[in-house]
Short mmCIF file of all heavy atoms in Angstrom, two decimals:
data_model
loop_
_atom_site.label_atom_id
_atom_site.label_comp_id
_atom_site.label_asym_id
_atom_site.label_seq_id
_atom_site.Cartn_x
_atom_site.Cartn_y
_atom_site.Cartn_z
N VAL A 16 2.50 17.21 -17.36
CA VAL A 16 2.94 18.19 -18.39
C VAL A 16 2.36 19.59 -18.09
O VAL A 16 1.09 19.75 -17.85
CB VAL A 16 2.40 17.74 -19.75
CG1 VAL A 16 2.77 18.81 -20.85
CG2 VAL A 16 2.97 16.44 -20.18
N GLN A 32 9.34 3.76 -27.44
CA GLN A 32 10.33 2.85 -27.73
C GLN A 32 10.61 1.86 -26.58
O GLN A 32 10.79 0.70 -26.73
CB GLN A 32 11.62 3.57 -28.10
CG GLN A 32 12.80 2.62 -28.52
CD GLN A 32 14.08 3.39 -28.92
OE1 GLN A 32 14.16 4.68 -28.71
NE2 GLN A 32 14.96 2.70 -29.53
N GLU A 42 4.13 -7.28 -22.93
CA GLU A 42 3.17 -6.79 -21.96
C GLU A 42 2.65 -5.44 -22.41
O GLU A 42 3.42 -4.57 -22.77
CB GLU A 42 3.77 -6.70 -20.56
CG GLU A 42 2.72 -6.28 -19.57
CD GLU A 42 3.27 -6.39 -18.13
OE1 GLU A 42 4.46 -6.81 -17.82
OE2 GLU A 42 2.50 -6.06 -17.18
N LEU A 50 -2.07 16.73 -18.64
CA LEU A 50 -1.91 18.18 -18.93
C LEU A 50 -2.40 18.94 -17.76
O LEU A 50 -3.54 18.91 -17.34
CB LEU A 50 -2.72 18.53 -20.22
CG LEU A 50 -2.36 17.68 -21.43
CD1 LEU A 50 -3.38 18.03 -22.53
CD2 LEU A 50 -0.92 17.99 -21.93
N GLN A 58 -1.17 19.93 -25.66
CA GLN A 58 -2.35 19.05 -25.94
C GLN A 58 -2.41 18.64 -27.37
O GLN A 58 -2.62 17.43 -27.66
CB GLN A 58 -3.72 19.66 -25.62
CG GLN A 58 -4.80 18.78 -25.82
CD GLN A 58 -6.19 19.28 -25.28
OE1 GLN A 58 -6.20 20.36 -24.53
NE2 GLN A 58 -7.24 18.60 -25.35
N LEU A 82 -3.41 11.77 -10.37
CA LEU A 82 -4.54 11.52 -11.37
C LEU A 82 -4.12 10.41 -12.37
O LEU A 82 -4.84 9.60 -12.70
CB LEU A 82 -4.92 12.79 -12.11
CG LEU A 82 -6.01 12.68 -13.07
CD1 LEU A 82 -7.37 12.28 -12.40
CD2 LEU A 82 -6.27 13.99 -13.88
N ALA A 100 8.24 15.42 -18.63
CA ALA A 100 8.16 15.73 -20.01
C ALA A 100 9.47 16.28 -20.59
O ALA A 100 9.63 16.27 -21.84
CB ALA A 100 7.03 16.80 -20.28
N VAL A 104 13.75 8.69 -21.86
CA VAL A 104 14.07 7.49 -21.16
C VAL A 104 14.83 6.48 -22.21
O VAL A 104 14.62 6.64 -23.32
CB VAL A 104 12.73 6.81 -20.62
CG1 VAL A 104 12.01 7.74 -19.80
CG2 VAL A 104 11.92 6.26 -21.84
N ALA A 110 11.93 -2.06 -18.69
CA ALA A 110 12.46 -3.43 -18.42
C ALA A 110 13.49 -3.34 -17.28
O ALA A 110 13.53 -4.22 -16.35
CB ALA A 110 13.12 -4.08 -19.63
N ALA A 133 27.36 27.42 -15.91
CA ALA A 133 28.76 27.63 -15.79
C ALA A 133 29.44 26.21 -15.57
O ALA A 133 28.75 25.32 -15.10
CB ALA A 133 29.04 28.55 -14.54
N SER A 134 30.73 26.19 -15.90
CA SER A 134 31.39 24.91 -15.77
C SER A 134 31.43 24.42 -14.37
O SER A 134 31.50 23.27 -13.98
CB SER A 134 32.83 25.05 -16.33
OG SER A 134 33.56 26.03 -15.62
N ALA A 135 31.37 25.39 -13.33
CA ALA A 135 31.40 25.05 -12.01
C ALA A 135 30.14 24.29 -11.59
O ALA A 135 30.23 23.42 -10.67
CB ALA A 135 31.51 26.33 -11.10
N ALA A 141 29.07 16.71 -10.50
CA ALA A 141 29.93 15.56 -10.46
C ALA A 141 30.38 15.16 -9.05
O ALA A 141 30.50 14.02 -8.72
CB ALA A 141 31.07 15.68 -11.35
N GLY A 149 22.93 1.90 -5.33
CA GLY A 149 23.06 2.26 -3.96
C GLY A 149 23.05 3.74 -3.60
O GLY A 149 23.19 4.15 -2.48
N HIS A 152 19.19 9.00 -4.29
CA HIS A 152 18.54 10.12 -5.03
C HIS A 152 17.05 9.77 -5.34
O HIS A 152 16.76 8.56 -5.54
CB HIS A 152 19.26 10.51 -6.25
CG HIS A 152 20.73 10.91 -6.10
ND1 HIS A 152 21.12 11.90 -5.34
CD2 HIS A 152 21.80 10.24 -6.64
CE1 HIS A 152 22.42 11.93 -5.34
NE2 HIS A 152 22.89 10.97 -6.10
N HIS A 154 13.95 10.87 -7.87
CA HIS A 154 13.62 11.78 -8.98
C HIS A 154 12.24 11.27 -9.53
O HIS A 154 12.07 10.08 -9.86
CB HIS A 154 14.61 11.65 -10.16
CG HIS A 154 15.98 12.06 -9.74
ND1 HIS A 154 16.33 13.42 -9.57
CD2 HIS A 154 17.05 11.31 -9.56
CE1 HIS A 154 17.66 13.48 -9.22
NE2 HIS A 154 18.10 12.18 -9.21
N ALA A 164 2.16 -1.64 -3.89
CA ALA A 164 2.92 -0.86 -2.89
C ALA A 164 2.48 0.61 -3.04
O ALA A 164 2.42 1.33 -1.95
CB ALA A 164 4.36 -0.87 -3.27
N ARG A 167 -0.62 0.91 -0.90
CA ARG A 167 -0.30 0.77 0.56
C ARG A 167 0.25 2.10 1.07
O ARG A 167 0.03 2.47 2.25
CB ARG A 167 0.73 -0.36 0.78
CG ARG A 167 0.15 -1.72 0.69
CD ARG A 167 1.08 -2.73 1.42
NE ARG A 167 2.49 -2.71 1.00
CZ ARG A 167 2.99 -3.34 -0.03
NH1 ARG A 167 2.16 -4.18 -0.79
NH2 ARG A 167 4.22 -3.29 -0.40
N CYS A 176 5.84 20.47 -5.12
CA CYS A 176 7.13 19.88 -5.41
C CYS A 176 7.45 18.92 -4.27
O CYS A 176 6.71 18.75 -3.27
CB CYS A 176 8.23 20.93 -5.33
SG CYS A 176 8.53 21.78 -3.79
N ALA A 191 8.04 -1.18 2.25
CA ALA A 191 8.31 -1.57 0.79
C ALA A 191 9.76 -1.83 0.54
O ALA A 191 10.62 -1.09 1.13
CB ALA A 191 7.77 -0.54 -0.12
#
Side-chain angles (χ1 to χ4, degrees):
V16 175
Q32 184 178 11
E42 182 170 2
L50 303 170
Q58 182 168 357
L82 178 66
V104 306
S134 60
H152 305 300
H154 301 286
R167 287 200 306 273
C176 69

